[in-house]
Amino acid sequence: MRARTAIIAGAGRLPATLARALPEALICAPAGIAPEGLSVAQPFHFERLVPFLRDLGNRGIETVVMAGAIERPSLDPALFDRDTAQLVPDLLRAIQSGDDGALRWVIGLMEEFDLRVEGVPQIAPDLLIAEGPATARAPSADEAADAARGAEILAALAPVDVGQGCVICAGQAIGLETLYGTDAMLADVGRHRPERAPHKGGTFVKRAKAGQDLRVDLPTIGPATIEAAAQAGLTAIALQQGHVIVLDRDAVLARADAAGIALWGMA
Amino acid sequence: MRARTAIIAGAGRLPATLARALPEALICAPAGIAPEGLSVAQPFHFERLVPFLRDLGNRGIETVVMAGAIERPSLDPALFDRDTAQLVPDLLRAIQSGDDGALRWVIGLMEEFDLRVEGVPQIAPDLLIAEGPATARAPSADEAADAARGAEILAALAPVDVGQGCVICAGQAIGLETLYGTDAMLADVGRHRPERAPHKGGTFVKRAKAGQDLRVDLPTIGPATIEAAAQAGLTAIALQQGHVIVLDRDAVLARADAAGIALWGMA
């Protein structure tokens, strides 16, 4: 029998999807975050992280999954307990080293409390895109070439810790993902297309950043992504196989097929 | 006395600015392009490039400057002369190798016709930003750090031939330049700022692509760039010294000072 698991839930639909795969899991969430479609059994404050982690151990939790978006919290000095307060200098140093650094620090801390951190690849591998076409239509040679060019651009950006997504059309970068995320990028592409050729076509490429910890913060798409891609005039979506979560898979593929979009898992 | 010079003029205000620095120059432009504030003495067709270049030599032209934006033309088969037609396979191969490849090919062809191709750095070096602050306000430590991060991101992108510009705020990339150019990027940043913090501040970084031929296609800013940066809530503009053209310098600096923007040439 599987050891008891806690889901640390952030925003979005991923936590509820994972909870369906793990009906026995304890649902935890930072105070103030209400995960979609999920009731929280155990809210916690970042300022009291040490007592929270200790309590998980006391309840027999051995495995933790972090899922969903958690923005950097502002911290209330009055809430800190003494143990957590002593960690603050380390935490601030980790935050300054970027999102990946902060996550690595949190994972390390959990491991110090004998909690095993697992990710979607271990817990619910079916949520990840597999290699090959998932839609009725496979990519054309041009779309596959644009996907390869996009993968090359994202590989160049990974060492500077930027971007998990881009849009390529006829070999040209027409969208590069920033802090504002995928939806913003796809909306921008749609807005700019009338300005200059090519006015339609193109491939949305989404990959994990090379070197990122796959246990947390995996790139995720859902039905709204397909809508946004279609509205931007795109005809193809290339997802790094085994590294991108597809939420509501049936709805995603139905909408992609309806829009004539080829969606596939690429190496 | 300077050898006679021809300006091959594209769109925008750069050709007229150069023409003021070179009053004796012969103004040429591709058929259909009307450079701002400049009358064209010698229009030409790409389909008749060889007779055009031969004619320049016959008129005693020794030096050519290319300035302003020229989009890839569509070619009319009926217009070709026999000599230019023979070059078409080479030209198509060069176009497929990207913008830089196409420009290198054109420069090589001009040199075969004994024309020397010069750029703004040789012809009008005063148009380029010099090292150090150009505005009343010098960059803050945070703005300088964001500029350094932006330079690092653009250096990572150069090998994949993408982007001459980006916007960084508090170490995060909030804008990355695509095919749609600088103005589109700045407008996108302004549009997305209400969505998430930081809601203002940030540095626009503009550099030549590492390895690009500095005789053509140098990055250029003007007063409209300052307006767009101010509207996006930015407070700083970092330009690679000696590699970025500032058009209407007095107007640019006056608008930057009025908006409290620090503009400087960085190494």
Side-chain angles (χ1 to χ4, degrees):
Chain A
M1 192 190 137
R2 176 165 210 103
R4 210 161 170 229
T5 298
I7 296 176
I8 313 260
R13 295 161 79 170
L14 179 57
T17 306
L18 274 181
R20 278 198 296 278
L22 298 169
E24 82 285 11
L26 176 72
I27 311 298
C28 311
I33 288 195
E36 262 178 82
L38 207 51
S39 62
V40 176
Q42 184 62 63
F44 67 94
H45 289 277
F46 286 106
E47 297 90 339
R48 305 182 61 77
L49 194 54
V50 169
F52 168 64
L53 294 179
R54 208 174 274 137
D55 182 56
L56 289 184
N58 293 340
R59 287 165 175 252
I61 299 291
E62 294 181 4
T63 300
V64 170
V65 197
M66 290 186 276
I70 296 181
E71 294 211 10
R72 271 176 205 177
S74 56
L75 301 174
D76 177 353
L79 282 181
F80 278 98
D81 69 285
R82 203 165 64 180
D83 290 337
T84 306
Q86 285 184 338
L87 298 175
V88 169
D90 285 352
L91 171 64
L92 294 180
R93 231 184 340 266
I95 285 179
Q96 275 158 11
S97 72
D99 283 342
D100 287 351
L103 282 168
R104 266 194 300 274
W105 182 83
V106 169
I107 289 173
L109 182 67
M110 290 182 171
E111 286 170 346
E112 281 180 33
F113 281 80
D114 290 326
L115 296 162
R116 184 173 54 245
V117 178
E118 294 197 339
V120 173
Q122 295 89 37
I123 298 271
D126 289 354
L127 291 179
L128 297 167
I129 186 82
E131 189 162 9
T135 44
R137 187 167 76 73
S140 70
D142 284 349
E143 289 164 345
D146 281 344
R149 169 104 170 101
E152 184 187 55
I153 290 171
L154 295 178
L157 278 170
V160 289
D161 197 13
V162 173
Q164 299 180 326
C166 64
V167 180
I168 310 294
C169 188
Q172 304 263 24
I174 61 173
L176 296 168
E177 190 171 325
T178 70
L179 183 69
Y180 299 117
T182 293
D183 290 350
M185 173 182 69
L186 294 174
D188 292 340
V189 170
R191 202 179 292 111
H192 293 304
R193 296 218 77 153
E195 291 166 22
R196 61 172 286 187
H199 297 294
K200 53 189 176 177
T203 300
F204 165 45
V205 185
K206 186 94 181 164
R207 302 178 71 82
K209 275 185 281 198
Q212 86 174 69
D213 191 316
L214 298 182
R215 289 175 295 177
V216 286
D217 194 29
L218 275 188
T220 302
I221 72 156
T225 316
I226 310 296
E227 290 302 332
Q231 278 176 23
L234 309 185
T235 55
I237 298 177
L239 307 174
Q240 186 184 12
Q241 60 107 342
H243 290 67
V244 179
I245 296 169
V246 180
L247 287 177
D248 282 336
R249 187 188 184 85
D250 291 347
V252 160
L253 297 182
R255 291 194 195 196
D257 281 335
I261 288 175
L263 184 153
W264 76 103
M266 73 182 292
Chain B
M1 192 190 135
R2 176 166 208 102
R4 205 154 172 233
T5 298
I7 295 175
I8 313 261
R13 295 161 77 171
L14 179 59
T17 305
L18 274 181
R20 278 197 297 278
L22 299 168
E24 83 285 13
L26 177 73
I27 311 298
C28 311
I33 288 195
E36 261 179 83
L38 207 53
S39 63
V40 176
Q42 184 63 62
F44 68 93
H45 288 277
F46 287 105
E47 297 90 339
R48 305 183 62 77
L49 194 55
V50 169
F52 167 65
L53 295 178
R54 207 175 274 138
D55 182 54
L56 290 183
N58 292 341
R59 286 164 176 253
I61 299 290
E62 294 180 4
T63 301
V64 170
V65 197
M66 290 187 275
I70 296 181
E71 294 210 11
R72 271 177 204 176
S74 57
L75 301 173
D76 178 353
L79 282 181
F80 278 99
D81 70 284
R82 205 165 60 179
D83 291 336
T84 307
Q86 284 184 337
L87 298 176
V88 168
D90 285 351
L91 171 65
L92 294 180
R93 234 187 333 269
I95 284 178
Q96 276 158 10
S97 71
D99 284 340
D100 288 351
L103 281 168
R104 268 195 299 276
W105 182 82
V106 169
I107 289 173
L109 182 67
M110 288 181 172
E111 286 169 347
E112 280 180 33
F113 280 81
D114 290 326
L115 296 162
R116 185 172 52 245
V117 178
E118 294 196 340
V120 172
Q122 296 89 38
I123 299 272
D126 289 352
L127 290 179
L128 297 168
I129 187 82
E131 190 162 7
T135 44
R137 188 166 76 73
S140 70
D142 283 350
E143 289 164 347
D146 281 345
R149 169 105 170 99
E152 185 187 53
I153 290 171
L154 295 178
L157 278 170
V160 289
D161 197 13
V162 173
Q164 297 179 325
C166 64
V167 180
I168 311 295
C169 188
Q172 304 263 24
I174 61 174
L176 296 168
E177 191 172 324
T178 69
L179 183 69
Y180 299 116
T182 293
D183 291 350
M185 174 183 68
L186 294 174
D188 292 340
V189 170
R191 202 178 293 110
H192 293 305
R193 296 218 77 155
E195 291 166 22
R196 63 172 287 189
H199 297 294
K200 53 188 174 178
T203 300
F204 165 45
V205 185
K206 186 94 181 166
R207 302 178 70 84
K209 274 183 283 196
Q212 86 174 68
D213 192 316
L214 299 183
R215 291 175 292 177
V216 287
D217 195 27
L218 275 189
T220 301
I221 72 155
T225 316
I226 310 297
E227 291 301 333
Q231 278 176 23
L234 309 186
T235 55
I237 299 178
L239 307 174
Q240 186 184 12
Q241 61 108 341
H243 290 67
V244 179
I245 297 168
V246 180
L247 287 176
D248 283 336
R249 187 188 185 85
D250 292 346
V252 160
L253 297 182
R255 290 193 195 198
D257 281 335
I261 288 175
L263 184 152
W264 76 102
M266 72 182 292

